[in-house]
Amino acid sequence: MTVTAPPGGLGLTHVEAAARLARDGPNTLPPPRRPHPLALLAAQMGHFFALMLWVAAALAFVAGMPALGVAIGVVVVVNGAFSFAQEYRADRATERLRDLMPVHATVRRDGMPVVVPAAELVVGDVVLLDAGDRVCADLELVPDGRVRVDESMLTGESAPVSAAAGDRVHAGTFVVEGQATARVVATGGRTRLAAIAAVTAGARRPPSPLAAQLHRVVRMVALMALAVGLVFFLVALALGQASRDSFLFAIGVTVALVPEGLLPTVTLSLARGAQRMAHRKALVRHLEAVETLGSTTFICTDKTGTLTRGQMAAVEVWTPAGQVRVEGEGYRPEGRLVGATRAVEAARQVGDSAARCSPDAHAAQAGGQWRPVGDPMDVALHVLATRAGAPVHPAPLQRHPFDPRRRRSSVVDAEGVHVLGSPDVVLLRCLDATPDAETAVETLSARGLRVLAVAHRPPGRPDATADLAERDLHLLGLVGLEDPPRPDVGEAIARCRRAGIRLAMVTGDHPRTAAAIATEVGLATPGAPVLRGADLPQDDAALAELIDHDGLVLARVTPEDKLRIAQALQSRGHVVAMTGDGVNDGPALRAADIGVAMGASGTDVAREAADVVLLDDHFATIVGAVELGRATFTNIRRFLTYHLTDNVAELTPFVVWALSGGRIPLALTVLQVLALDIGTDQLPALALGAEPPGPRAMVGRMRLGSLIDGPVARRALLVLGPTEALVSMVAFLVVLGTAGWAPGTPVSPWLLGVASGTAFATVVLGQVANAFACRSEGRWVGLVGVRGNRLLLYAVASEIAMLLVFVGAPPLQDLLGGHWPGAFGWLLAALAIPAVLLADATHKAWRARHKRPPARAVPLAPPVTSSRKAAR
């Protein structure tokens, strides 16, 4: 048989491609011009809160208090540098994660289709385009086929445009329908996309929902700080202090309470969570997606490649002449067909026609193993044809690729029309389909096999459309493909159930096949229905009520059905994670709260629409990402509790001073409060943000709520904070009292310095205990232990070291106003550790007896709807 040259020619040789790549450079966009790091640092020093503090520092200098002015300036610089460092690290981490996104192209090199990284495309390469592909360079179509292209990224037009021979398609667009061959005409910085990217590089992203809520929290606390400062200014005036001193006193209190470092700490926590997910093969495309992952309540998962291995193998062929067993290993071409002679010959024709419908798929040897090049199912059919001894087939005259709506594909060549697709679609177009064929479909499907029907029509006049070509067919047979379940998917499903997450299988496969696999892996629950997409009610409310069940199996589902399913579950209050890999899954992935695309086998369109890309296509990876999402937001609540507790202890001395009418001196100076905020507290807060998932992270459903809700506020403001404040004030007053001081009497500067140093040490040691108490919302420190977070141990050691420097170094003693406490003072300060731990354990025990165990909250009350996702 003479094999005709494929459209577009044999393509470049590997040598030619390498030479052109060296000459023209990689097919990548020029890196965007980024602001200089010094400009970014300056921006952190010039936002609203920073400007407010700079004004306060200037007023302190004018009023003759340079120490306070310098301290306020240090606060701005340290917090600005900290914010810059964390944002810079988060942005770099996000860029590194984007680099993990698999972007490849199928080209013809040395006459054979191969998959290469998109960056290695060169001018003159022959590219094979298929539905779902991202166009990775500017291409010109050759006379081979017709495609429809989504150019919305370039033009803003949502309707796909048609492209045929001689037309150009541009980098950054997506093929949404059809197949074609094209030749590369421009790469990298010479593409149309590069010109547009240069114009849009300076566009700013809108803040994520989490960032918006954090900004609200920061503004709220800052306004409270201003209000407190104003109150203390009026109180100081009422107590007879000079207006200058009262004003500076109020400025100091306000500065001490402004939460400058909160937002960058949270951003870093999200970035760390995203990096952890990447290590588990879950690529988070937007940091804000981490916030939603932890709140997932319903996962709609595909079957093939996610619950199963995604390693297709044709194991059975049914023909009217009899049934044939296919023997062989994996994708190795060696193997044989076992059965009666007539049945084996008929199976050979089945394999031949099936392989013709996907001519670009094949198995290739790499690293000593045979691997699929193309869709695994298509490759399995080619392996079947090879084992059956089918001849090399000619290039098709017409090609109608698989469409999820039609659920079939076909080619027209010199030997007729060859059709491959879902049995319930193909059998209706066959003239000789018998009840035996339908029985065979049910039998193979009940064994968990994916069943495809293969049909043929003898040569004749080529029809212009697929619908005309795919009529009056002769049924050749059925192919049963095996895709075994992944070995650990059952445990992942059990973890979802323990976490209160409902599951549904949403697949385009046959209902019996889907039900068999769902039962085998433990997804299907007793009594849960198996529904067909065609049987779903048109009324959205009825659909929502019907599918809001755990263990549901939805088969023969179209992309439009997936979109309705996601929206219906959201209307019931669910936070929905939806998997998808096809070009038409984009709308459902965008509409779901978390769109999950397949990185290994999915289309570029699906990956672009998704929030999370599974680099290994594994269902267990979704579950692991949910666990890390829950842990990330539990960590945010941990260091918020830590910060709020400290603020209570810092504010209490000023309240006591005001309520006593100045008869009790200040236990902490303004500079000591600043030393707590920018010195001792920062590292433990960051370490709490790195806390690994706890053993109960996947136990029970997450409760949706605000970032600072009732449990956090009560624990920090009514339990831990007052305990720290009480012990600190008692230690301060005991040191004064043992030296003979009485309220309202003068106190020597030395004695006040020792008492103030004792109070300062008490707060710091109380925060040491608080850091370990914040590791769990429901278990006391004795159960949690202290070894699970090595970073926290280092941070606490640094905190204690800074404490010794602040109260022991003479220059800092004079600057901050606190001296070395002495043995008795240290003993009093050390009481803060058992006091805080005892208060924490008592509160947790009381809450366990009187209320449900605390649920982990996520910081967004409403689920992320499609409109919100569009806004971000």
Side-chain angles (χ1 to χ4, degrees):
M1 179 182 294
T2 302
V3 180
T4 60
L10 299 178
L12 302 176
T13 66
H14 283 84
V15 175
E16 291 173 330
R20 297 188 185 191
L21 182 63
R23 181 193 67 191
D24 299 335
N27 178 39
T28 57
L29 293 178
R33 294 184 59 185
R34 300 186 177 278
H36 194 276
L38 291 179
L40 295 175
L41 180 61
Q44 293 292 345
M45 306 293 181
H47 56 76
F48 171 74
F49 293 126
L51 292 176
M52 181 181 72
L53 297 180
W54 284 125
V55 171
L59 291 175
F61 277 106
V62 171
M65 293 190 66
L68 180 59
V70 170
I72 296 174
V74 169
V75 169
V76 179
V77 172
V78 171
N79 275 326
F82 177 74
S83 300
F84 162 75
Q86 308 303 16
E87 292 284 356
Y88 187 83
R89 285 185 60 191
D91 283 346
R92 298 290 87 77
T94 303
E95 288 184 2
R96 288 193 295 270
L97 292 178
R98 288 198 200 100
D99 293 339
L100 297 177
M101 179 74 76
V103 180
H104 298 88
T106 302
V107 300
R108 194 177 288 133
R109 297 264 175 93
D110 293 317
M112 291 293 295
V114 294
V115 178
V116 300
E120 296 181 8
L121 287 180
V122 297
V123 174
D125 257 329
V126 175
V127 180
L128 308 180
L129 296 176
D130 199 352
D133 288 349
R134 178 204 299 264
V135 180
C136 299
D138 284 358
L139 311 175
E140 183 175 296
L141 271 62
V142 301
D144 171 49
R146 177 182 296 271
V147 293
R148 289 170 60 81
V149 181
D150 177 2
E151 295 186 339
S152 58
M153 183 175 179
L154 299 181
T155 66
E157 294 291 336
S158 58
V161 298
S162 297
D167 293 336
R168 287 197 175 189
V169 293
H170 299 283
T173 60
F174 293 92
V175 179
V176 298
E177 185 178 308
Q179 294 174 319
T181 304
R183 185 172 284 107
V184 176
V185 295
T187 61
R190 294 168 291 278
T191 61
R192 182 180 176 188
L193 177 63
I196 296 175
V199 176
T200 61
R204 294 179 60 87
R205 296 190 303 267
S208 71
L210 175 64
Q213 182 168 347
L214 287 171
H215 281 300
R216 287 196 298 271
V217 171
V218 171
R219 284 196 302 269
M220 177 187 70
V221 177
L223 291 175
M224 290 175 59
L226 288 173
V228 170
L230 177 61
V231 169
F232 278 106
F233 172 70
L234 298 176
V235 170
L237 287 179
L239 293 176
Q241 289 197 8
S243 58
R244 165 186 168 276
D245 295 338
S246 300
F247 180 67
L248 293 176
F249 176 70
I251 287 177
V253 174
T254 302
V255 170
L257 296 178
V258 170
E260 278 289 312
L262 177 60
L263 187 57
T265 304
V266 173
T267 302
L268 182 63
S269 182
L270 290 176
R272 183 181 291 113
Q275 287 177 313
R276 283 178 172 177
M277 292 179 186
H279 292 155
R280 294 195 186 185
K281 304 297 185 181
L283 174 60
V284 177
R285 300 187 63 249
H286 313 285
L287 279 185
E288 57 267 26
V290 179
E291 73 192 61
T292 315
L293 266 169
S295 61
T296 301
T297 62
F298 208 117
I299 298 177
C300 298
T301 178
D302 198 355
K303 175 183 71 69
T304 304
T306 308
L307 298 175
T308 62
R309 295 176 183 267
Q311 299 172 357
M312 290 285 188
V315 295
E316 296 277 353
V317 178
W318 176 92
T319 71
Q323 195 143 333
V324 172
R325 186 176 76 255
V326 183
E327 294 183 348
E329 179 183 349
Y331 293 107
R332 296 181 63 87
E334 295 84 9
R336 61 173 186 158
L337 275 60
V338 179
T341 303
R342 290 183 61 246
V344 169
E345 176 58 27
R348 186 197 65 79
Q349 297 179 13
V350 171
D352 180 37
S353 279
R356 292 171 188 258
C357 293
S358 50
D360 295 322
H362 66 281
Q365 197 169 16
Q369 293 184 337
W370 286 90
R371 302 183 183 277
V373 178
D375 185 273
M377 184 187 72
D378 294 337
V379 176
L381 296 175
H382 272 260
V383 172
L384 169 64
T386 303
R387 291 172 179 171
V392 178
H393 50 79
L397 302 175
Q398 288 185 15
R399 189 173 177 183
H400 306 289
F402 178 81
D403 185 295
R405 298 182 186 86
R406 301 189 318 116
R407 301 212 303 276
R408 63 186 184 275
S409 62
S410 64
V411 296
V412 179
D413 59 20
E415 298 185 16
V417 181
H418 309 269
V419 180
L420 171 72
S422 170
D424 53 351
V425 172
V426 176
L427 294 182
L428 293 177
R429 294 175 172 267
C430 293
L431 298 175
D432 54 355
T434 64
D436 290 343
E438 297 178 0
T439 301
V441 170
E442 297 296 325
T443 302
L444 294 173
S445 299
R447 291 170 48 194
L449 301 181
R450 185 170 189 175
V451 183
L452 297 175
V454 183
H456 175 256
R457 194 183 73 187
R461 180 179 59 84
D463 294 297
T465 66
D467 284 339
L468 292 177
E470 298 163 356
R471 293 182 178 178
D472 302 330
L473 302 174
H474 167 64
L475 178 64
L476 296 179
L478 306 170
V479 180
L481 297 117
E482 183 180 50
D483 184 12
R486 294 181 181 268
D488 53 350
V489 73
E491 172 57 25
I493 289 173
R495 294 185 67 202
C496 285
R497 298 250 158 80
R498 290 194 294 268
I501 300 173
R502 295 184 175 184
L503 300 169
M505 177 189 287
V506 182
T507 179
D509 218 331
H510 191 280
R512 283 185 174 269
T513 303
I517 295 296
T519 302
E520 183 175 355
V521 301
L523 185 145
T525 56
V530 178
L531 304 175
R532 292 175 176 263
D535 298 332
L536 297 179
Q538 295 300 312
D539 180 72
D540 291 339
L543 173 64
E545 183 176 359
L546 177 65
I547 65 176
D548 190 6
H549 296 285
D550 186 31
L552 186 68
V553 176
L554 293 158
R556 293 300 188 216
V557 170
T558 66
E560 292 80 5
D561 293 331
K562 295 182 73 170
L563 175 60
R564 291 189 62 219
I565 289 167
Q567 294 172 338
L569 291 173
Q570 286 171 331
S571 71
R572 302 273 290 190
H574 283 290
V575 179
V576 181
M578 174 74 73
T579 69
D581 56 5
V583 59
N584 291 316
D585 288 332
L589 295 178
R590 290 190 182 94
D593 300 295
I594 288 291
V596 182
M598 304 299 111
S601 62
T603 62
D604 291 328
V605 173
R607 288 195 286 264
E608 191 70 20
D611 303 286
V612 177
V613 177
L614 303 184
L615 300 180
D616 59 358
D617 293 5
H618 197 339
F619 176 81
T621 303
I622 305 176
V623 183
V626 171
E627 180 184 32
L628 289 175
R630 290 187 172 197
T632 297
F633 282 100
T634 301
N635 290 344
I636 293 176
R637 290 164 60 83
R638 286 184 175 119
F639 61 68
L640 280 175
T641 304
Y642 181 81
H643 275 306
L644 292 176
T645 299
D646 194 27
N647 283 348
V648 175
E650 292 170 350
L651 185 60
T652 298
F654 299 94
V655 175
V656 171
W657 173 83
L659 294 178
S660 69
R663 292 167 56 84
I664 298 178
L666 281 172
L668 296 175
T669 67
V670 170
L671 295 182
Q672 284 176 315
V673 172
L674 296 178
L676 289 169
D677 285 344
I678 67 175
T680 60
D681 274 359
Q682 292 286 12
L683 291 180
L686 286 175
L688 286 172
E691 188 75 23
R696 296 185 61 82
M698 292 293 285
V699 176
R701 178 177 290 190
M702 294 281 284
R703 177 174 50 81
L704 299 177
S706 61
L707 195 59
I708 301 178
D709 59 1
V712 169
R714 286 191 295 270
R715 187 179 176 207
L717 303 181
L718 300 181
V719 179
L720 299 178
T723 301
E724 269 190 24
L726 177 62
V727 178
S728 174
M729 289 304 304
V730 168
F732 175 74
L733 294 174
V734 168
V735 170
L736 291 179
T738 55
W741 170 86
T745 62
V747 58
S748 68
W750 177 84
L751 177 59
L752 181 59
V754 172
S756 184
T758 302
F760 181 82
T762 304
V763 174
V764 173
L765 294 179
Q767 284 293 89
V768 169
N770 185 30
F772 290 104
C774 287
R775 291 189 64 200
S776 173
E777 291 188 31
R779 296 182 300 153
W780 74 290
V781 174
L783 292 177
V784 178
V786 297
R787 297 184 180 180
N789 187 344
R790 184 177 299 178
L791 289 178
L792 184 58
L793 296 178
Y794 295 150
V796 167
S798 301
E799 185 178 18
I800 294 174
M802 282 188 282
L803 166 62
L804 298 178
V805 172
F806 286 153
V807 299
L812 292 178
Q813 288 179 343
D814 298 334
L815 176 64
L816 301 179
H819 295 170
W820 189 264
F824 182 62
W826 282 114
L827 179 61
L828 292 173
L831 293 176
I833 295 178
V836 170
L837 294 180
L838 179 61
D840 177 67
T842 303
H843 174 66
K844 290 174 178 175
W846 179 89
R847 189 170 54 185
R849 285 196 304 267
H850 293 83
K851 298 183 179 179
R852 292 181 301 173
R856 296 157 297 279
V858 292
L860 293 176
V864 181
T865 61
S866 56
S867 59
R868 284 179 57 199
K869 290 179 69 173
R872 88 188 174 203

mmCIF file of all heavy atoms in Angstrom, residues 190-217:
data_model
loop_
_atom_site.group_PDB
_atom_site.id
_atom_site.type_symbol
_atom_site.label_atom_id
_atom_site.label_comp_id
_atom_site.label_asym_id
_atom_site.label_seq_id
_atom_site.Cartn_x
_atom_site.Cartn_y
_atom_site.Cartn_z
ATOM 1 N N ARG A 190 8.106 37.856 18.392
ATOM 2 C CA ARG A 190 7.640 38.302 17.077
ATOM 3 C C ARG A 190 6.172 37.954 16.820
ATOM 4 O O ARG A 190 5.662 38.195 15.727
ATOM 5 C CB ARG A 190 8.530 37.683 15.994
ATOM 6 C CG ARG A 190 9.970 38.194 16.031
ATOM 7 C CD ARG A 190 10.902 37.373 15.152
ATOM 8 N NE ARG A 190 11.109 36.042 15.695
ATOM 9 C CZ ARG A 190 11.990 35.759 16.662
ATOM 10 N NH1 ARG A 190 12.708 36.731 17.189
ATOM 11 N NH2 ARG A 190 12.138 34.533 17.099
ATOM 12 N N THR A 191 5.491 37.390 17.814
ATOM 13 C CA THR A 191 4.084 37.042 17.655
ATOM 14 C C THR A 191 3.186 38.240 17.957
ATOM 15 O O THR A 191 3.619 39.222 18.580
ATOM 16 C CB THR A 191 3.698 35.882 18.588
ATOM 17 O OG1 THR A 191 3.901 36.300 19.948
ATOM 18 C CG2 THR A 191 4.538 34.650 18.297
ATOM 19 N N ARG A 192 1.946 38.121 17.533
ATOM 20 C CA ARG A 192 0.974 39.180 17.824
ATOM 21 C C ARG A 192 0.707 39.272 19.326
ATOM 22 O O ARG A 192 0.507 40.356 19.871
ATOM 23 C CB ARG A 192 -0.329 38.891 17.074
ATOM 24 C CG ARG A 192 -1.410 39.945 17.258
ATOM 25 C CD ARG A 192 -2.661 39.559 16.486
ATOM 26 N NE ARG A 192 -3.744 40.500 16.733
ATOM 27 C CZ ARG A 192 -4.990 40.319 16.304
ATOM 28 N NH1 ARG A 192 -5.287 39.248 15.588
ATOM 29 N NH2 ARG A 192 -5.931 41.209 16.564
ATOM 30 N N LEU A 193 0.733 38.126 19.995
ATOM 31 C CA LEU A 193 0.503 38.116 21.433
ATOM 32 C C LEU A 193 1.573 38.908 22.170
ATOM 33 O O LEU A 193 1.286 39.601 23.148
ATOM 34 C CB LEU A 193 0.497 36.667 21.941
ATOM 35 C CG LEU A 193 0.345 36.479 23.450
ATOM 36 C CD1 LEU A 193 -0.998 37.009 23.925
ATOM 37 C CD2 LEU A 193 0.505 35.006 23.833
ATOM 38 N N ALA A 194 2.817 38.841 21.709
ATOM 39 C CA ALA A 194 3.894 39.572 22.370
ATOM 40 C C ALA A 194 3.652 41.076 22.307
ATOM 41 O O ALA A 194 3.917 41.799 23.277
ATOM 42 C CB ALA A 194 5.231 39.219 21.728
ATOM 43 N N ALA A 195 3.136 41.547 21.171
ATOM 44 C CA ALA A 195 2.863 42.973 21.059
ATOM 45 C C ALA A 195 1.765 43.404 22.020
ATOM 46 O O ALA A 195 1.846 44.467 22.653
ATOM 47 C CB ALA A 195 2.467 43.310 19.617
ATOM 48 N N ILE A 196 0.720 42.574 22.155
ATOM 49 C CA ILE A 196 -0.363 42.908 23.080
ATOM 50 C C ILE A 196 0.121 42.820 24.521
ATOM 51 O O ILE A 196 -0.220 43.641 25.370
ATOM 52 C CB ILE A 196 -1.558 41.964 22.844
ATOM 53 C CG1 ILE A 196 -2.122 42.184 21.436
ATOM 54 C CG2 ILE A 196 -2.637 42.186 23.887
ATOM 55 C CD1 ILE A 196 -3.233 41.224 21.070
ATOM 56 N N ALA A 197 0.952 41.802 24.801
ATOM 57 C CA ALA A 197 1.458 41.641 26.166
ATOM 58 C C ALA A 197 2.286 42.830 26.593
ATOM 59 O O ALA A 197 2.265 43.235 27.763
ATOM 60 C CB ALA A 197 2.277 40.357 26.263
ATOM 61 N N ALA A 198 3.024 43.431 25.655
ATOM 62 C CA ALA A 198 3.837 44.597 26.005
ATOM 63 C C ALA A 198 2.962 45.767 26.431
ATOM 64 O O ALA A 198 3.333 46.558 27.307
ATOM 65 C CB ALA A 198 4.705 44.995 24.814
ATOM 66 N N VAL A 199 1.774 45.876 25.808
ATOM 67 C CA VAL A 199 0.876 46.975 26.158
ATOM 68 C C VAL A 199 0.198 46.736 27.501
ATOM 69 O O VAL A 199 -0.002 47.655 28.298
ATOM 70 C CB VAL A 199 -0.189 47.154 25.048
ATOM 71 C CG1 VAL A 199 -1.198 48.221 25.427
ATOM 72 C CG2 VAL A 199 0.485 47.499 23.735
ATOM 73 N N THR A 200 -0.141 45.493 27.771
ATOM 74 C CA THR A 200 -0.923 45.185 28.972
ATOM 75 C C THR A 200 -0.064 44.802 30.172
ATOM 76 O O THR A 200 -0.594 44.471 31.226
ATOM 77 C CB THR A 200 -1.888 44.016 28.688
ATOM 78 O OG1 THR A 200 -1.111 42.865 28.319
ATOM 79 C CG2 THR A 200 -2.833 44.358 27.562
ATOM 80 N N ALA A 201 1.266 44.846 30.028
ATOM 81 C CA ALA A 201 2.122 44.371 31.122
ATOM 82 C C ALA A 201 1.936 45.179 32.387
ATOM 83 O O ALA A 201 2.118 44.687 33.492
ATOM 84 C CB ALA A 201 3.594 44.420 30.686
ATOM 85 N N GLY A 202 1.565 46.445 32.235
ATOM 86 C CA GLY A 202 1.443 47.285 33.423
ATOM 87 C C GLY A 202 0.101 47.211 34.116
ATOM 88 O O GLY A 202 -0.117 47.909 35.111
ATOM 89 N N ALA A 203 -0.813 46.387 33.602
ATOM 90 C CA ALA A 203 -2.136 46.314 34.229
ATOM 91 C C ALA A 203 -2.037 45.689 35.610
ATOM 92 O O ALA A 203 -1.279 44.751 35.831
ATOM 93 C CB ALA A 203 -3.082 45.493 33.341
ATOM 94 N N ARG A 204 -2.802 46.196 36.540
ATOM 95 C CA ARG A 204 -2.794 45.697 37.917
ATOM 96 C C ARG A 204 -3.950 44.733 38.128
ATOM 97 O O ARG A 204 -5.051 44.952 37.640
ATOM 98 C CB ARG A 204 -2.908 46.857 38.916
ATOM 99 C CG ARG A 204 -1.716 47.775 38.905
ATOM 100 C CD ARG A 204 -1.918 48.917 39.899
ATOM 101 N NE ARG A 204 -2.081 48.426 41.247
ATOM 102 C CZ ARG A 204 -1.078 48.177 42.065
ATOM 103 N NH1 ARG A 204 0.165 48.343 41.673
ATOM 104 N NH2 ARG A 204 -1.297 47.741 43.303
ATOM 105 N N ARG A 205 -3.682 43.660 38.870
ATOM 106 C CA ARG A 205 -4.735 42.708 39.189
ATOM 107 C C ARG A 205 -5.623 43.265 40.276
ATOM 108 O O ARG A 205 -5.138 43.901 41.216
ATOM 109 C CB ARG A 205 -4.129 41.384 39.661
ATOM 110 C CG ARG A 205 -3.324 40.663 38.629
ATOM 111 C CD ARG A 205 -2.977 39.261 39.135
ATOM 112 N NE ARG A 205 -2.261 39.319 40.391
ATOM 113 C CZ ARG A 205 -0.942 39.339 40.488
ATOM 114 N NH1 ARG A 205 -0.218 39.343 39.389
ATOM 115 N NH2 ARG A 205 -0.359 39.372 41.664
ATOM 116 N N PRO A 206 -6.923 43.016 40.200
ATOM 117 C CA PRO A 206 -7.782 43.439 41.313
ATOM 118 C C PRO A 206 -7.493 42.599 42.535
ATOM 119 O O PRO A 206 -7.016 41.465 42.428
ATOM 120 C CB PRO A 206 -9.197 43.174 40.776
ATOM 121 C CG PRO A 206 -9.017 42.085 39.772
ATOM 122 C CD PRO A 206 -7.680 42.332 39.139
ATOM 123 N N PRO A 207 -7.756 43.133 43.730
ATOM 124 C CA PRO A 207 -7.493 42.347 44.945
ATOM 125 C C PRO A 207 -8.413 41.142 45.025
ATOM 126 O O PRO A 207 -9.558 41.187 44.597
ATOM 127 C CB PRO A 207 -7.768 43.340 46.078
ATOM 128 C CG PRO A 207 -8.700 44.357 45.482
ATOM 129 C CD PRO A 207 -8.302 44.463 44.041
ATOM 130 N N SER A 208 -7.886 40.053 45.559
ATOM 131 C CA SER A 208 -8.690 38.855 45.748
ATOM 132 C C SER A 208 -9.699 39.085 46.865
ATOM 133 O O SER A 208 -9.551 40.006 47.664
ATOM 134 C CB SER A 208 -7.787 37.677 46.100
ATOM 135 O OG SER A 208 -7.271 37.848 47.410
ATOM 136 N N PRO A 209 -10.754 38.242 46.955
ATOM 137 C CA PRO A 209 -11.708 38.387 48.065
ATOM 138 C C PRO A 209 -11.042 38.321 49.430
ATOM 139 O O PRO A 209 -11.405 39.056 50.342
ATOM 140 C CB PRO A 209 -12.662 37.208 47.841
ATOM 141 C CG PRO A 209 -12.580 36.917 46.382
ATOM 142 C CD PRO A 209 -11.174 37.221 45.984
ATOM 143 N N LEU A 210 -10.054 37.447 49.579
ATOM 144 C CA LEU A 210 -9.358 37.363 50.865
ATOM 145 C C LEU A 210 -8.601 38.650 51.154
ATOM 146 O O LEU A 210 -8.650 39.178 52.265
ATOM 147 C CB LEU A 210 -8.395 36.187 50.867
ATOM 148 C CG LEU A 210 -7.519 36.071 52.119
ATOM 149 C CD1 LEU A 210 -8.376 35.812 53.345
ATOM 150 C CD2 LEU A 210 -6.483 34.983 51.954
ATOM 151 N N ALA A 211 -7.888 39.168 50.139
ATOM 152 C CA ALA A 211 -7.147 40.404 50.347
ATOM 153 C C ALA A 211 -8.092 41.551 50.698
ATOM 154 O O ALA A 211 -7.779 42.384 51.556
ATOM 155 C CB ALA A 211 -6.342 40.749 49.091
ATOM 156 N N ALA A 212 -9.256 41.602 50.034
ATOM 157 C CA ALA A 212 -10.216 42.661 50.354
ATOM 158 C C ALA A 212 -10.678 42.567 51.801
ATOM 159 O O ALA A 212 -10.790 43.583 52.506
ATOM 160 C CB ALA A 212 -11.407 42.580 49.398
ATOM 161 N N GLN A 213 -10.944 41.349 52.273
ATOM 162 C CA GLN A 213 -11.390 41.217 53.663
ATOM 163 C C GLN A 213 -10.274 41.557 54.636
ATOM 164 O O GLN A 213 -10.500 42.173 55.667
ATOM 165 C CB GLN A 213 -11.896 39.800 53.929
ATOM 166 C CG GLN A 213 -12.420 39.634 55.347
ATOM 167 C CD GLN A 213 -13.172 38.344 55.550
ATOM 168 O OE1 GLN A 213 -13.508 37.693 54.578
ATOM 169 N NE2 GLN A 213 -13.424 37.990 56.769
ATOM 170 N N LEU A 214 -9.042 41.173 54.290
ATOM 171 C CA LEU A 214 -7.918 41.525 55.163
ATOM 172 C C LEU A 214 -7.719 43.031 55.229
ATOM 173 O O LEU A 214 -7.427 43.585 56.290
ATOM 174 C CB LEU A 214 -6.648 40.851 54.658
ATOM 175 C CG LEU A 214 -6.561 39.345 54.893
ATOM 176 C CD1 LEU A 214 -5.376 38.746 54.155
ATOM 177 C CD2 LEU A 214 -6.455 39.064 56.381
ATOM 178 N N HIS A 215 -7.884 43.700 54.099
ATOM 179 C CA HIS A 215 -7.787 45.161 54.111
ATOM 180 C C HIS A 215 -8.874 45.751 55.011
ATOM 181 O O HIS A 215 -8.635 46.744 55.717
ATOM 182 C CB HIS A 215 -7.904 45.711 52.686
ATOM 183 C CG HIS A 215 -6.642 45.599 51.889
ATOM 184 N ND1 HIS A 215 -5.469 46.199 52.276
ATOM 185 C CD2 HIS A 215 -6.374 44.948 50.734
ATOM 186 C CE1 HIS A 215 -4.521 45.928 51.388
ATOM 187 N NE2 HIS A 215 -5.051 45.173 50.436
ATOM 188 N N ARG A 216 -10.059 45.145 54.983
ATOM 189 C CA ARG A 216 -11.119 45.646 55.865
ATOM 190 C C ARG A 216 -10.743 45.452 57.332
ATOM 191 O O ARG A 216 -10.989 46.308 58.173
ATOM 192 C CB ARG A 216 -12.434 44.923 55.548
ATOM 193 C CG ARG A 216 -13.080 45.342 54.243
ATOM 194 C CD ARG A 216 -14.541 44.900 54.180
ATOM 195 N NE ARG A 216 -14.669 43.453 54.226
ATOM 196 C CZ ARG A 216 -14.660 42.682 53.143
ATOM 197 N NH1 ARG A 216 -14.503 43.212 51.943
ATOM 198 N NH2 ARG A 216 -14.806 41.377 53.258
ATOM 199 N N VAL A 217 -10.160 44.278 57.635
ATOM 200 C CA VAL A 217 -9.733 44.032 59.022
ATOM 201 C C VAL A 217 -8.685 45.043 59.445
ATOM 202 O O VAL A 217 -8.737 45.610 60.543
ATOM 203 C CB VAL A 217 -9.203 42.588 59.155
ATOM 204 C CG1 VAL A 217 -8.546 42.381 60.511
ATOM 205 C CG2 VAL A 217 -10.327 41.589 58.952
#
